[in-house]
Tab-separated table of all heavy atoms in Angstrom:
chain	number	residue	atom	x	y	z
M	374	GLY	N	41.862	-12.479	29.270
M	374	GLY	CA	42.967	-11.530	29.130
M	374	GLY	C	42.777	-10.293	29.937
M	374	GLY	O	43.725	-9.781	30.572
M	375	ALA	N	41.534	-9.809	29.964
M	375	ALA	CA	41.229	-8.608	30.753
M	375	ALA	C	41.393	-8.873	32.243
M	375	ALA	O	41.832	-8.014	33.039
M	375	ALA	CB	39.807	-8.122	30.468
M	376	ILE	N	41.005	-10.106	32.693
M	376	ILE	CA	41.213	-10.459	34.082
M	376	ILE	C	42.662	-10.464	34.477
M	376	ILE	O	43.048	-9.934	35.532
M	376	ILE	CB	40.597	-11.867	34.327
M	376	ILE	CG1	39.035	-11.793	34.303
M	376	ILE	CG2	41.009	-12.398	35.722
M	376	ILE	CD1	38.384	-13.133	34.347
M	377	LYS	N	43.507	-11.018	33.610
M	377	LYS	CA	44.962	-11.017	33.864
M	377	LYS	C	45.506	-9.591	33.950
M	377	LYS	O	46.324	-9.302	34.840
M	377	LYS	CB	45.682	-11.804	32.749
M	377	LYS	CG	45.374	-13.279	32.752
M	377	LYS	CD	46.114	-13.967	31.596
M	377	LYS	CE	45.827	-15.456	31.543
M	377	LYS	NZ	46.502	-16.115	30.453
M	378	LEU	N	45.062	-8.748	33.046
M	378	LEU	CA	45.520	-7.341	33.097
M	378	LEU	C	45.093	-6.668	34.362
M	378	LEU	O	45.846	-5.898	34.971
M	378	LEU	CB	44.999	-6.603	31.867
M	378	LEU	CG	45.582	-6.930	30.491
M	378	LEU	CD1	44.863	-6.226	29.395
M	378	LEU	CD2	47.078	-6.608	30.479
M	379	LEU	N	43.867	-6.929	34.797
M	379	LEU	CA	43.332	-6.319	36.006
M	379	LEU	C	44.118	-6.795	37.216
M	379	LEU	O	44.472	-5.945	38.092
M	379	LEU	CB	41.838	-6.693	36.188
M	379	LEU	CG	41.139	-6.171	37.456
M	379	LEU	CD1	41.102	-4.672	37.442
M	379	LEU	CD2	39.755	-6.783	37.550
M	380	ILE	N	44.436	-8.066	37.298
M	380	ILE	CA	45.181	-8.593	38.429
M	380	ILE	C	46.603	-8.006	38.434
M	380	ILE	O	47.116	-7.629	39.484
M	380	ILE	CB	45.202	-10.123	38.366
M	380	ILE	CG1	43.799	-10.671	38.625
M	380	ILE	CG2	46.213	-10.697	39.396
M	380	ILE	CD1	43.715	-12.169	38.478
M	381	ASN	N	47.214	-7.950	37.245
M	381	ASN	CA	48.549	-7.398	37.172
M	381	ASN	C	48.568	-5.892	37.565
M	381	ASN	O	49.473	-5.418	38.230
M	381	ASN	CB	49.137	-7.546	35.784
M	381	ASN	CG	49.446	-8.991	35.450
M	381	ASN	OD1	49.693	-9.793	36.339
M	381	ASN	ND2	49.430	-9.333	34.175
M	382	HIS	N	47.533	-5.169	37.111
M	382	HIS	CA	47.451	-3.725	37.373
M	382	HIS	C	47.269	-3.466	38.860
M	382	HIS	O	47.797	-2.467	39.389
M	382	HIS	CB	46.297	-3.121	36.567
M	382	HIS	CG	46.137	-1.666	36.803
M	382	HIS	ND1	47.028	-0.705	36.326
M	382	HIS	CD2	45.157	-0.937	37.479
M	382	HIS	CE1	46.612	0.504	36.703
M	382	HIS	NE2	45.501	0.373	37.378
M	383	THR	N	46.473	-4.292	39.555
M	383	THR	CA	46.150	-4.058	40.961
M	383	THR	C	47.118	-4.805	41.880
M	383	THR	O	47.021	-4.664	43.111
M	383	THR	CB	44.705	-4.508	41.265
M	383	THR	OG1	44.582	-5.934	40.978
M	383	THR	CG2	43.705	-3.741	40.448
M	384	GLY	N	48.020	-5.570	41.306
M	384	GLY	CA	48.958	-6.340	42.104
M	384	GLY	C	48.278	-7.444	42.865
M	384	GLY	O	48.818	-7.933	43.894
M	385	GLY	N	47.108	-7.830	42.437
M	385	GLY	CA	46.362	-8.919	43.107
M	385	GLY	C	45.452	-8.419	44.254
M	385	GLY	O	44.689	-9.227	44.784
M	386	TYR	N	45.512	-7.143	44.554
M	386	TYR	CA	44.672	-6.580	45.655
M	386	TYR	C	43.393	-6.041	44.979
M	386	TYR	O	43.324	-4.891	44.568
M	386	TYR	CB	45.405	-5.519	46.379
M	386	TYR	CG	46.585	-6.030	47.154
M	386	TYR	CD1	47.879	-5.897	46.627
M	386	TYR	CD2	46.431	-6.648	48.366
M	386	TYR	CE1	48.962	-6.409	47.339
M	386	TYR	CE2	47.542	-7.137	49.097
M	386	TYR	CZ	48.777	-7.021	48.547
M	386	TYR	OH	49.877	-7.510	49.221
M	387	ILE	N	42.368	-6.888	44.899
M	387	ILE	CA	41.143	-6.519	44.237
M	387	ILE	C	40.071	-6.210	45.260
M	387	ILE	O	39.713	-7.063	46.089
M	387	ILE	CB	40.655	-7.687	43.348
M	387	ILE	CG1	41.724	-7.986	42.264
M	387	ILE	CG2	39.339	-7.378	42.680
M	387	ILE	CD1	41.408	-9.197	41.409
M	388	TYR	N	39.549	-4.991	45.209
M	388	TYR	CA	38.480	-4.598	46.143
M	388	TYR	C	37.745	-3.409	45.516
M	388	TYR	O	38.228	-2.766	44.570
M	388	TYR	CB	39.031	-4.207	47.480
M	388	TYR	CG	40.078	-3.090	47.448
M	388	TYR	CD1	39.728	-1.750	47.577
M	388	TYR	CD2	41.445	-3.351	47.239
M	388	TYR	CE1	40.637	-0.726	47.521
M	388	TYR	CE2	42.382	-2.337	47.198
M	388	TYR	CZ	41.994	-1.033	47.313
M	388	TYR	OH	42.910	-0.030	47.246
M	389	GLY	N	36.562	-3.122	46.032
M	389	GLY	CA	35.783	-1.981	45.537
M	389	GLY	C	35.403	-2.184	44.077
M	389	GLY	O	34.864	-3.215	43.649
M	390	VAL	N	35.671	-1.158	43.264
M	390	VAL	CA	35.300	-1.152	41.844
M	390	VAL	C	36.042	-2.261	41.116
M	390	VAL	O	35.485	-2.930	40.235
M	390	VAL	CB	35.631	0.223	41.198
M	390	VAL	CG1	35.387	0.184	39.677
M	390	VAL	CG2	34.810	1.324	41.828
M	391	SER	N	37.325	-2.421	41.424
M	391	SER	CA	38.107	-3.490	40.752
M	391	SER	C	37.539	-4.870	41.034
M	391	SER	O	37.562	-5.778	40.192
M	391	SER	CB	39.578	-3.422	41.122
M	391	SER	OG	39.733	-3.634	42.516
M	392	GLU	N	37.002	-5.064	42.247
M	392	GLU	CA	36.400	-6.376	42.587
M	392	GLU	C	35.154	-6.617	41.777
M	392	GLU	O	34.913	-7.718	41.242
M	392	GLU	CB	36.055	-6.441	44.064
M	392	GLU	CG	35.495	-7.747	44.498
M	392	GLU	CD	35.173	-7.808	45.983
M	392	GLU	OE1	35.102	-6.706	46.586
M	392	GLU	OE2	34.934	-8.897	46.532
M	393	THR	N	34.322	-5.590	41.640
M	393	THR	CA	33.112	-5.711	40.811
M	393	THR	C	33.469	-6.008	39.382
M	393	THR	O	32.871	-6.886	38.714
M	393	THR	CB	32.296	-4.395	40.879
M	393	THR	OG1	31.926	-4.136	42.227
M	393	THR	CG2	31.043	-4.516	40.016
M	394	LEU	N	34.459	-5.279	38.859
M	394	LEU	CA	34.909	-5.494	37.476
M	394	LEU	C	35.446	-6.920	37.306
M	394	LEU	O	35.184	-7.580	36.269
M	394	LEU	CB	35.964	-4.472	37.102
M	394	LEU	CG	36.545	-4.577	35.663
M	394	LEU	CD1	35.427	-4.473	34.634
M	394	LEU	CD2	37.605	-3.495	35.446
M	395	PHE	N	36.180	-7.405	38.292
M	395	PHE	CA	36.721	-8.753	38.224
M	395	PHE	C	35.593	-9.761	38.093
M	395	PHE	O	35.683	-10.688	37.213
M	395	PHE	CB	37.546	-9.081	39.486
M	395	PHE	CG	37.912	-10.506	39.615
M	395	PHE	CD1	39.067	-10.991	38.957
M	395	PHE	CD2	37.175	-11.420	40.368
M	395	PHE	CE1	39.430	-12.326	39.057
M	395	PHE	CE2	37.550	-12.752	40.475
M	395	PHE	CZ	38.648	-13.196	39.815
M	396	TYR	N	34.576	-9.654	38.893
M	396	TYR	CA	33.480	-10.666	38.826
M	396	TYR	C	32.668	-10.541	37.547
M	396	TYR	O	32.235	-11.533	36.989
M	396	TYR	CB	32.573	-10.530	40.046
M	396	TYR	CG	33.149	-11.195	41.263
M	396	TYR	CD1	33.592	-10.416	42.342
M	396	TYR	CD2	33.268	-12.536	41.332
M	396	TYR	CE1	34.151	-11.025	43.485
M	396	TYR	CE2	33.825	-13.174	42.473
M	396	TYR	CZ	34.264	-12.403	43.525
M	396	TYR	OH	34.816	-13.025	44.615
M	397	VAL	N	32.507	-9.326	37.047
M	397	VAL	CA	31.806	-9.140	35.752
M	397	VAL	C	32.574	-9.851	34.661
M	397	VAL	O	32.015	-10.579	33.824
M	397	VAL	CB	31.611	-7.657	35.426
M	397	VAL	CG1	31.167	-7.475	33.943
M	397	VAL	CG2	30.576	-6.996	36.346
M	398	LEU	N	33.887	-9.648	34.644
M	398	LEU	CA	34.761	-10.277	33.632
M	398	LEU	C	34.788	-11.806	33.820
M	398	LEU	O	34.766	-12.558	32.811
M	398	LEU	CB	36.188	-9.693	33.713
M	398	LEU	CG	36.349	-8.279	33.235
M	398	LEU	CD1	37.711	-7.757	33.618
M	398	LEU	CD2	36.083	-8.153	31.752
M	399	TYR	N	34.836	-12.242	35.069
M	399	TYR	CA	34.881	-13.684	35.335
M	399	TYR	C	33.613	-14.348	34.856
M	399	TYR	O	33.653	-15.438	34.234
M	399	TYR	CB	35.104	-13.948	36.833
M	399	TYR	CG	35.280	-15.421	37.142
M	399	TYR	CD1	36.493	-16.054	36.966
M	399	TYR	CD2	34.191	-16.207	37.562
M	399	TYR	CE1	36.667	-17.404	37.236
M	399	TYR	CE2	34.353	-17.520	37.857
M	399	TYR	CZ	35.585	-18.119	37.692
M	399	TYR	OH	35.710	-19.488	37.944
M	400	TYR	N	32.468	-13.767	35.160
M	400	TYR	CA	31.198	-14.298	34.700
M	400	TYR	C	31.078	-14.209	33.199
M	400	TYR	O	30.495	-15.078	32.546
M	400	TYR	CB	30.035	-13.579	35.361
M	400	TYR	CG	29.833	-13.943	36.807
M	400	TYR	CD1	29.598	-12.965	37.804
M	400	TYR	CD2	29.876	-15.274	37.220
M	400	TYR	CE1	29.444	-13.337	39.110
M	400	TYR	CE2	29.679	-15.644	38.527
M	400	TYR	CZ	29.459	-14.687	39.465
M	400	TYR	OH	29.287	-15.008	40.804
M	401	MET	N	31.623	-13.140	32.626
M	401	MET	CA	31.606	-12.999	31.147
M	401	MET	C	32.359	-14.187	30.521
M	401	MET	O	31.874	-14.779	29.553
M	401	MET	CB	32.308	-11.711	30.731
M	401	MET	CG	32.309	-11.450	29.262
M	401	MET	SD	30.913	-10.488	28.709
M	401	MET	CE	31.253	-8.904	29.495
M	402	MET	N	33.523	-14.523	31.058
M	402	MET	CA	34.292	-15.633	30.572
M	402	MET	C	33.552	-16.972	30.781
M	402	MET	O	33.399	-17.766	29.850
M	402	MET	CB	35.627	-15.703	31.317
M	402	MET	CG	36.481	-16.907	30.972
M	402	MET	SD	37.995	-17.011	31.988
M	402	MET	CE	37.296	-17.262	33.626
M	403	THR	N	33.054	-17.181	32.000
M	403	THR	CA	32.370	-18.451	32.311
M	403	THR	C	31.127	-18.670	31.508
M	403	THR	O	30.889	-19.758	30.984
M	403	THR	CB	32.083	-18.474	33.816
M	403	THR	OG1	33.251	-18.246	34.571
M	403	THR	CG2	31.465	-19.846	34.212
M	404	ILE	N	30.298	-17.660	31.403
M	404	ILE	CA	29.005	-17.764	30.691
M	404	ILE	C	29.258	-18.054	29.217
M	404	ILE	O	28.559	-18.858	28.609
M	404	ILE	CB	28.178	-16.516	30.904
M	404	ILE	CG1	27.615	-16.449	32.309
M	404	ILE	CG2	27.017	-16.424	29.871
M	404	ILE	CD1	27.066	-15.124	32.730
M	405	ASN	N	30.263	-17.406	28.608
M	405	ASN	CA	30.522	-17.671	27.213
M	405	ASN	C	31.123	-19.058	26.974
M	405	ASN	O	30.856	-19.675	25.934
M	405	ASN	CB	31.439	-16.586	26.663
M	405	ASN	CG	30.694	-15.334	26.236
M	405	ASN	OD1	30.160	-15.266	25.116
M	405	ASN	ND2	30.574	-14.371	27.117
M	406	LEU	N	31.825	-19.574	27.978
M	406	LEU	CA	32.286	-20.956	27.863
M	406	LEU	C	31.111	-21.925	27.964
M	406	LEU	O	31.062	-22.928	27.259
M	406	LEU	CB	33.312	-21.221	28.960
M	406	LEU	CG	34.670	-20.567	28.811
M	406	LEU	CD1	35.554	-20.855	30.021
M	406	LEU	CD2	35.384	-21.018	27.544
M	407	VAL	N	30.186	-21.610	28.842
M	407	VAL	CA	28.965	-22.440	28.956
M	407	VAL	C	28.183	-22.430	27.648
M	407	VAL	O	27.785	-23.495	27.135
M	407	VAL	CB	28.053	-21.931	30.091
M	407	VAL	CG1	26.681	-22.593	30.040
M	407	VAL	CG2	28.692	-22.176	31.463
M	408	LEU	N	28.001	-21.257	27.085
M	408	LEU	CA	27.303	-21.144	25.791
M	408	LEU	C	28.019	-21.940	24.693
M	408	LEU	O	27.420	-22.616	23.900
M	408	LEU	CB	27.162	-19.681	25.383
M	408	LEU	CG	26.101	-18.862	26.145
M	408	LEU	CD1	26.248	-17.387	25.804
M	408	LEU	CD2	24.705	-19.348	25.798
M	409	MET	N	29.333	-21.830	24.648
M	409	MET	CA	30.122	-22.509	23.654
M	409	MET	C	29.953	-24.052	23.762
M	409	MET	O	29.593	-24.713	22.791
M	409	MET	CB	31.601	-22.153	23.808
M	409	MET	CG	32.527	-22.864	22.822
M	409	MET	SD	34.276	-22.571	23.119
M	409	MET	CE	34.578	-23.627	24.579
M	410	ILE	N	30.144	-24.559	24.952
M	410	ILE	CA	30.121	-26.018	25.180
M	410	ILE	C	28.719	-26.538	25.026
M	410	ILE	O	28.473	-27.572	24.390
M	410	ILE	CB	30.725	-26.365	26.527
M	410	ILE	CG1	32.209	-25.967	26.570
M	410	ILE	CG2	30.558	-27.871	26.823
M	410	ILE	CD1	32.800	-25.911	27.948
M	411	PHE	N	27.726	-25.829	25.610
M	411	PHE	CA	26.340	-26.274	25.533
M	411	PHE	C	25.879	-26.359	24.068
M	411	PHE	O	25.259	-27.350	23.640
M	411	PHE	CB	25.426	-25.328	26.320
M	411	PHE	CG	23.986	-25.735	26.310
M	411	PHE	CD1	23.539	-26.803	27.063
M	411	PHE	CD2	23.050	-25.014	25.572
M	411	PHE	CE1	22.190	-27.152	27.052
M	411	PHE	CE2	21.729	-25.365	25.553
M	411	PHE	CZ	21.298	-26.446	26.317
M	412	ASN	N	26.190	-25.337	23.285
M	412	ASN	CA	25.774	-25.299	21.897
M	412	ASN	C	26.525	-26.292	21.015
M	412	ASN	O	26.114	-26.572	19.926
M	412	ASN	CB	25.880	-23.912	21.323
M	412	ASN	CG	24.733	-23.046	21.707
M	412	ASN	OD1	23.654	-23.157	21.128
M	412	ASN	ND2	24.910	-22.149	22.676
M	413	LEU	N	27.666	-26.809	21.508
M	413	LEU	CA	28.397	-27.824	20.719
M	413	LEU	C	27.878	-29.244	20.967
M	413	LEU	O	28.299	-30.178	20.279
M	413	LEU	CB	29.885	-27.773	21.069
M	413	LEU	CG	30.691	-26.648	20.396
M	413	LEU	CD1	32.114	-26.646	20.943
M	413	LEU	CD2	30.692	-26.860	18.882
M	414	LEU	N	26.932	-29.405	21.902
M	414	LEU	CA	26.375	-30.713	22.147
M	414	LEU	C	25.650	-31.177	20.844
M	414	LEU	O	24.889	-30.408	20.248
M	414	LEU	CB	25.383	-30.710	23.288
M	414	LEU	CG	25.967	-30.379	24.670
M	414	LEU	CD1	24.884	-30.323	25.722
M	414	LEU	CD2	27.014	-31.396	25.070
M	415	PRO	N	25.867	-32.401	20.414
M	415	PRO	CA	25.257	-32.874	19.148
M	415	PRO	C	23.822	-33.306	19.293
M	415	PRO	O	23.444	-34.437	18.985
M	415	PRO	CB	26.185	-34.087	18.769
M	415	PRO	CG	26.607	-34.619	20.112
M	415	PRO	CD	26.777	-33.401	21.014
M	416	VAL	N	23.016	-32.362	19.783
M	416	VAL	CA	21.593	-32.593	19.955
M	416	VAL	C	20.823	-31.470	19.287
M	416	VAL	O	21.115	-30.289	19.512
M	416	VAL	CB	21.253	-32.620	21.503
M	416	VAL	CG1	19.767	-32.852	21.697
M	416	VAL	CG2	22.085	-33.638	22.242
M	417	PRO	N	19.825	-31.793	18.430
M	417	PRO	CA	19.056	-30.683	17.830
M	417	PRO	C	18.246	-29.995	18.890
M	417	PRO	O	17.788	-30.645	19.843
M	417	PRO	CB	18.136	-31.451	16.833
M	417	PRO	CG	18.067	-32.867	17.350
M	417	PRO	CD	19.378	-33.135	18.041
M	418	PRO	N	18.060	-28.687	18.782
M	418	PRO	CA	18.423	-27.822	17.636
M	418	PRO	C	19.770	-27.086	17.857
M	418	PRO	O	19.964	-26.027	17.297
M	418	PRO	CB	17.292	-26.815	17.638
M	418	PRO	CG	16.956	-26.626	19.121
M	418	PRO	CD	17.194	-27.967	19.764
M	419	LEU	N	20.662	-27.635	18.658
M	419	LEU	CA	21.912	-26.975	18.990
M	419	LEU	C	22.879	-27.018	17.808
M	419	LEU	O	22.748	-27.850	16.910
M	419	LEU	CB	22.561	-27.587	20.225
M	419	LEU	CG	21.709	-27.586	21.480
M	419	LEU	CD1	22.417	-28.276	22.637
M	419	LEU	CD2	21.352	-26.159	21.861
M	420	ASP	N	23.843	-26.104	17.849
M	420	ASP	CA	24.795	-25.981	16.712
M	420	ASP	C	25.610	-27.257	16.506
M	420	ASP	O	25.971	-27.604	15.385
M	420	ASP	CB	25.775	-24.815	16.976
M	420	ASP	CG	25.079	-23.463	17.079
M	420	ASP	OD1	24.055	-23.303	16.391
M	420	ASP	OD2	25.495	-22.600	17.835
M	421	GLY	N	25.896	-27.950	17.581
M	421	GLY	CA	26.687	-29.194	17.475
M	421	GLY	C	26.035	-30.225	16.583
M	421	GLY	O	26.722	-30.922	15.826
């Protein structure tokens, strides 16, 4: 959601500070998806 707001706010022209923020948010999203899916694997000691 924050990525969408950032893109809308900048009109899609991401550079400088906004570019750094974009990648931090993108990695935040991706890493949490990795954690979610990895931990759902039905293998001990994972949550799945």
